[in-house]
């Protein structure tokens, strides 16, 4: 989900409409003193806001899992862009009045890079044996590499089936929500995080081992170990 914070209402509305048309869910806000709390209290995938609010990025500059961040400015000078990228940790710095297509393309490119980074982190080392998890779509069960088995709900099974079909890949939140039988537009993305947290905790108790499920900022989730679908 994208948090968009731009002062000018007309520009904010135009950018929001363009991002929605490109398939993103967008929440708008003003870049004022309350924006810091808003950033901290939700799992945003992408932050897009005024260059004047650049200080809000500082707490995240050393966080490897920070949201994708794009600063928008007016009549940007080269030194402005350099400062945004180097001193405030922005991933991109663009003209606020520039074509919406450029912003959409930049966000899409950054999301691909984040997903590729997650997959590369999950690759086993040379000679390391892969631990295989097994998922039964018909029995609604998952079996850990040590042979222990646990029951799943229908939603948990559908969620994991989609991840199993795209091994090691980061699958978008919207696709996972659809796989679980919901409408992404009406589904609060925080419900998905709660759902995953509860599944992780329950299976941790059943297996005494963590489910190799990784949250990917700006994308969704990836299962970072081999997950075999059983007949």
């Amino acid at each position: 989900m994208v948090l968009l914070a731009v002062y000018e209402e007309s520009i904010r509305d135009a950018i929001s409409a363009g991002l929605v048309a490109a398939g993103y869910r967008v929440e708008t806000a003003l870049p004022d003193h309350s924006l810091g709390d808003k950033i901290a209290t939700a799992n945003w995938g992408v932050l897009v806001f005024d260059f004047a609010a650049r200080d809000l990025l500082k707490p995240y500059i050393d966080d490897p899992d920070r949201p994708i961040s794009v600063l928008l400015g007016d009549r940007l000078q080269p030194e402005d862009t350099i400062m945004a990228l180097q001193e405030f940790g922005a991933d991109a710095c663009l003209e606020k009045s520039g074509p919406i297509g450029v912003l959409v393309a930049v966000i899409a490119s950054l999301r691909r890079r984040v997903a590729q980074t997650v997959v590369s982190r999950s690759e086993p080392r040379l000679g390391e044996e892969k631990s295989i998890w097994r998922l039964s779509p018909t029995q609604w069960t998952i079996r850990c590499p040590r042979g222990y088995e646990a029951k799943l709900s229908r939603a948990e099974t559908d969620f994991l089936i989609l991840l199993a079909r795209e091994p090691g890949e980061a699958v978008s939140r919207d696709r996972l929500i659809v796989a679980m039988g919901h409408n992404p537009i009406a589904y609060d993305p925080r419900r998905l995080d709660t759902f995953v947290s509860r599944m992780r905790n329950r299976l941790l108790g059943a297996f005494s081992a963590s489910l190799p499920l990784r949250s990917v900022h700006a994308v969704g989730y990836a299962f970072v170990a081999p997950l075999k679908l059983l007949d």
Side-chain angles (χ1 to χ4, degrees):
M1 186 160 64
V2 179
L3 175 60
L4 171 64
V6 175
Y7 282 107
E8 299 91 336
E9 183 178 2
S10 59
I11 295 178
R12 186 170 66 245
D13 290 346
I15 294 174
S16 177
L19 291 173
V20 169
Y24 293 99
R25 283 176 295 163
V26 180
E27 184 168 333
T28 61
L30 287 173
D32 55 21
H33 65 279
S34 65
L35 186 58
D37 291 336
K38 197 171 189 65
I39 294 172
T41 54
N43 188 22
W44 304 103
V46 184
L47 307 176
V48 180
F49 47 84
D50 269 310
F51 191 87
R54 59 190 181 275
D55 283 325
L56 293 172
L57 289 181
K58 275 193 170 181
Y60 305 95
I61 193 169
D62 294 321
D63 183 355
D65 294 322
R66 68 185 183 275
I68 288 170
S69 56
V70 180
L71 291 178
L72 303 178
D74 296 305
R75 297 182 294 277
L76 292 169
Q77 299 300 310
E79 54 269 25
D80 296 326
T81 301
I82 291 170
M83 179 172 60
L85 300 176
Q86 294 186 347
E87 296 184 24
F88 296 95
D91 296 298
C93 189
L94 305 173
E95 285 287 343
K96 192 185 300 182
S97 57
I100 186 64
V102 173
L103 175 61
V104 170
V106 165
I107 292 174
S109 177
L110 290 169
R111 291 178 72 225
R112 285 194 299 271
R113 178 64 63 186
V114 168
Q116 289 166 2
T117 300
V118 169
V119 172
S120 67
R121 286 178 186 170
S122 69
E123 288 293 326
R125 296 175 183 175
L126 185 63
E128 181 181 342
E129 182 180 357
K130 293 184 177 181
S131 297
I132 300 177
W133 293 69
R134 291 172 171 82
L135 176 67
S136 172
T138 56
Q139 299 298 317
W140 297 4
T141 59
I142 186 168
R143 190 184 310 155
C144 74
R146 292 190 295 164
Y148 299 124
E149 190 172 88
K151 280 295 270 186
L152 299 169
S153 68
R154 176 60 184 268
E156 290 169 343
T157 303
D158 291 340
F159 177 92
L160 291 171
I161 286 173
L162 182 53
L163 295 179
R165 287 174 175 162
E166 302 194 22
E169 296 292 331
V171 179
S172 74
R173 289 171 171 269
D174 283 356
R175 290 183 61 203
L176 290 165
I177 290 168
V178 169
M180 294 162 61
H182 300 287
N183 183 343
I185 296 176
Y187 191 92
D188 186 342
R190 286 169 290 193
R191 283 181 59 195
L192 183 63
D193 297 323
T194 301
F195 165 84
V196 170
S197 177
R198 288 175 177 168
M199 178 171 61
R200 276 176 167 154
N201 291 335
R202 187 170 59 78
L203 294 180
L204 176 61
F207 298 142
S208 296
S210 297
L211 195 66
L213 186 62
R214 182 168 294 166
S215 174
V216 184
H217 269 298
V219 185
Y221 286 92
F223 202 92
V224 293
L227 179 58
K228 182 178 180 180
L229 284 173
L230 303 176
D231 295 332

